[in-house]
Every structure is written in C-alpha cells, then in structure tokens.
Amino acid sequence: MNKSELYRKIPKVDDILNHEETIKYLKNNSLNILKLSIDKILNNIRNDIEDLTENNYCDYIIDCEIIVKEIVNDALKYNKMNLKNVINGTGVVIHTNLGRSCINKETAMEVYKIASGYSNLEFDLNSGKRGHRYDHIEKLICQLTGAESAMVVNNNAAAVMLILNTLSQNGEAIVSRGELVEIGGSFRIPDVMKLSNTDLVEVGTTNKTHLKDYRNAITDKTNLLLKVHTSNYRIMGFTESVSRENLVNLGKTNNIPVYEDLGSGLLFDLSDYFKSTEPTVKSVVNSGVDVISFSGDKMLGGPQAGIIIGKKKYVEKMKYNQLTRAFRVDKMTLAALEITFRQYLDIETAKLNIPTIKNLTIDIVDIIHKAEKLLNVLHNIENLHIEIIQDESQVGGGSMPLTRLKTYALQICIDNMKPDDIAKSLRTCSYPVVGRIKNEMFLLDLRTIDENEFNDIKKAFIEIINGGKNV
Ligand SMILES: *Cc1c(COP(=O)(O)O)cnc(C)c1O
C-alpha cells in the first residue's frame, strides 16, 4: 500500500451523503452543517496520510463506517450550545461562576419582547426626536432609592472606573487601607484607580482608620473621598473604620464629594430573615453620600449591570463622559433592569418573584419539604444512598461573607464512586448538576434548587449510573 492508494480509499462525498447514518441525520438536521463536518473530517484524514512515513502506511486503516459516524457526531455537536443551563446544588445563592442572579419568567419575557422588536430605546415618542436610554429607568431607580439622579453601565467595575475618572481624574482620591479590595476575577481597586487616571492616597492601617487620617491627607489635589464596601471579607478584632456620616461631614466641610462603592445593592432590609450586615441602598443615600454604585446582578437580583446613583450634578457629568459610551448597556439589560426594579415597587412581590431574593428569604420549612420531595424522586434509583442532612448555605457574590444560612441538603453516595467522581460525572452529564463536597461527602443543597429541576436531577443520576439507560 502506498500513499496514493490510501488517498483513493477516502470515501467519496456522494457515498457519505447516501449512507444510511447520514440519511437518518438529515431527517432532522442541516445539510450545510453536515458538509462543514465532511470537509473537516476528510481534511483531517488527508493530513494524517500526508504525515505518514513508509513504516506506518500499513497501520493506517480507512473504514467508511467509522468515518461516517465521526462526521455525523461532529455535525451533531454544532446543534449543542456551549453556554447552557446547569442546576445549582451548591447552596451559594449568588454564584458568580454559575451566572450570579437568575431572572424570572416575567423578566425574561420582557427581555424577549424588547430584543425581538424595535423599541423606543433612544427615541422620544412624544417629540419624535432622539431620546436617552437611561430615561426609561432613571425615575424608577430614584423613587426606590431616594437618590436625585441615576444611570446604568455594564457592570459595577465599569461604574467604579467611570465615577473615578469623572470625579477624580488628574487628582487624588483618598481611601482607607482597610478597604483596598480585590474582587474575584482580579478586579482590584488600586489598579482600577490607576486606569481611571486617579492617584490613590491610602490612609490608616489595615485594621484601623480614623477620621483624622482622612483629614490629614486632604490637599488641594484631593478630588474625592472613597469608601469601598468590603464585600468579600471582614477585618475582625481590634478594628476601627470611619462611619459614613463622619466621612460625609468631612467631605462637606472641605467641599469634596464622597463616593461609596457598595458592591451589592440591597433594596430592602433583610434583618427579618437573618443577621444582615449589608446596608440598604436607601440608608446609604440618606446618610448623604454623594455618589453610590452597585451591581445589578448581586443582591438586587437583576441582570449584569452597574447602577450609579447620587447627586444630580455629579451623575449628569458622568452621562457626558466618553467612557459612558464604551460602558453603555444593551436594550436587553435595560429591559431586564426596568422590570426588576418595577417588581420592587411591591416588596412582597419582589420577595416571591425575584429568584435571588426568593432563595435568600425562603423559609427553612420549605427547604425541608423540597429535600423530602427530591429524596422521593431519587429513592428508586439503584446504588444510590441518600440522607437528608442539615447544613449551611452562603449568600455568595462577595456579599455578606460571614453570614451562613441554615439549610437542608441531600448527602448522596453511589456504590463504587468517590465523592469527587460523583461531582465530576454530574457536572459532565447532558444536564449538568453542580453540587458541593463537605467532609468528603457529596451534597446537593436544596436552597438553590427549584422543584421543576427535580426530574432533570433524576435523569442525571440515571445517566451516570446506567450509562444513559433508563431504569
Ligand atoms: C462585586 C463588586 C465589584 C464589581 O462588580 P461587578 O458588577 O462584578 O463588576 C466592585 N466593587 C465591589 C465592592 C464589589 O463587591
């Protein structure tokens, strides 16, 4: 056998197209996509043959059946989205790696409506002239937060950058050493300040910062007093930080604006539900802080966005910063944000309907019921050993790092499988389930699992235990 004989054995496209596997595929799938796979796989074979040496000609096998299967499998992969839903059994409510906040159906439908048609995004229907995209939500945000003015950018990181650049460019911003935060994904306050052309003036020590530290650091270059919410850590023990009110007074006395990066945007008091250390947005506005920013998809429970609120003279200036154009949000985000904020007009509606709020405030009795129901759904599966245990879930998203929420979880063992193997198999099956491991045990936390996901969880276990065959 030589190379040209091998080349001649490569199946003809017509033969591939007439193969019964291909015909089956084509009943429900696209011919054009199949052609892409035919080109790709046949090219791979030609390249393989090209690379063969005299010694391994004879080992190279060209089998039409195998090649057709490979082509059809490759083509089927194009049908599958890489970005897909997963079931969150981690108990972390705002899980950044799993997409943070989920939106409810009403919100998703509103996004669908706005995204699938033309809209008045930047068009004033009364005057027929150009409008502003922020007009649709500004009043609503102001009403809910008590702020004078509001705007929205792509995420809170962009908000921080825009605010620093607008209010403190070519000058200094004073911040406490205890608040030089790094958020997951390497967003670091000092680095962002550099990018915003702002000089960082650090005051105090890691554990203690006094009002006089800020006061002594003020010079004629000082443009901003910055407070950063230590979202994802707490400094404990011998500590002192300057209260918002004192910082606001210092700012007023020296005619320097105070900006607080709040991280999470909590719109109502959660202390009825658990010991909350997160201030509400309204309380921060009331304390007189000039500018505040927070994320749309943390405790607010909306889409990814950065919400900026504050005194009109500062927010207006930001609207005309060129960075605003680069950071501007899409109509899908605006639609989701508007409906999310609207749901907060009736706080009881928000608690019931906004998934993040619902998962944070769910009654422990409801979690137990969910655990019992899921146990029931799974209990028939062979080789599966399940126990309901009490445990703790986390808020996540860098919010309230010390708060633990009482929860119930299923502790699941499978014969001949280690907890890590269970976790990996569930992650990689057709409908991925993500759990957590604690004390060498695999757990599914019911706080973040919805009842309508129970059947998919059952399918996932059947798939990993029986290799996809139904019991
Ligand atoms: C989360 C967070 C950010 C970043 O917000 P994104 O919306 O993820 O861009 C910035 N600052 C603080 C204090 C945060 O907690």
Side-chain angles (χ1 to χ4, degrees), residues 100 155-157 183 187 228-229 231 261 263 295 298:
R100 285 203 186 150
N155 53 23
N156 190 31
I183 314 291
F187 170 89
V228 185
H229 190 57
S231 310
D261 171 14
S295 291
K298 289 184 179 170

Side-chain angles (χ1 to χ4, degrees), residues 85-295:
N85 286 114
V86 308
I87 291 168
N88 177 6
T90 65
V92 180
V93 178
I94 306 170
H95 197 304
T96 298
N97 300 145
L98 302 185
R100 285 203 186 150
S101 286
C102 312
I103 56 173
N104 56 33
K105 201 167 173 184
E106 195 187 348
T107 307
M109 285 311 295
E110 214 53 58
V111 173
Y112 169 75
K113 255 172 33 195
I114 294 302
S116 57
Y118 294 106
S119 62
N120 62 343
L121 180 65
E122 286 189 353
F123 186 64
D124 182 342
L125 292 169
N126 273 327
S127 66
K129 296 207 173 93
R130 186 178 175 165
H132 294 285
R133 67 177 61 208
Y134 307 110
D135 285 354
H136 306 289
I137 50 167
E138 178 160 14
K139 280 208 186 84
L140 191 56
I141 299 177
C142 292
Q143 185 180 348
L144 287 162
T145 60
E148 268 178 36
S149 212
M151 66 180 285
V152 175
V153 288
N154 252 321
N155 53 23
N156 190 31
V160 174
M161 207 164 150
L162 175 65
I163 293 166
L164 291 174
N165 182 269
T166 309
L167 299 183
S168 187
Q169 190 172 199
N170 302 325
E172 296 174 351
I174 303 177
V175 62
S176 156
R177 287 206 168 84
E179 298 174 359
L180 292 173
V181 180
E182 170 174 326
I183 314 291
S186 75
F187 170 89
R188 290 181 160 177
I189 285 292
D191 297 338
V192 176
M193 293 184 76
K194 240 180 257 158
L195 282 172
S196 330
N197 274 331
T198 300
D199 284 331
L200 168 75
V201 177
E202 302 171 25
V203 295
T205 59
T206 304
N207 56 331
K208 282 204 170 202
T209 304
H210 307 277
L211 190 61
K212 66 171 191 289
D213 295 326
Y214 287 94
R215 193 186 297 125
N216 293 341
I218 292 178
T219 67
D220 52 8
K221 289 207 205 88
T222 308
N223 285 340
L224 193 67
L225 302 180
L226 168 63
K227 193 165 177 61
V228 185
H229 190 57
T230 55
S231 310
N232 48 6
Y233 66 98
R234 289 286 178 273
I235 297 171
M236 316 275 283
F238 187 58
T239 65
E240 186 162 333
S241 62
V242 173
S243 76
R244 214 167 264 130
E245 288 73 12
N246 284 343
L247 205 60
V248 165
N249 283 335
L250 183 68
K252 270 200 193 121
T253 314
N254 292 278
N255 212 4
I256 299 168
V258 176
Y259 158 45
E260 178 157 353
D261 171 14
L262 249 189
S264 237
L266 185 59
L267 287 196
F268 68 100
D269 191 4
L270 278 176
S271 54
D272 282 354
Y273 298 92
F274 44 83
K275 205 168 156 285
S276 166
T277 52
E278 206 74 23
T280 64
V281 176
K282 215 172 195 160
S283 72
V284 181
V285 172
N286 285 342
S287 67
V289 173
D290 298 286
V291 177
I292 299 162
S293 72
F294 55 92
S295 291

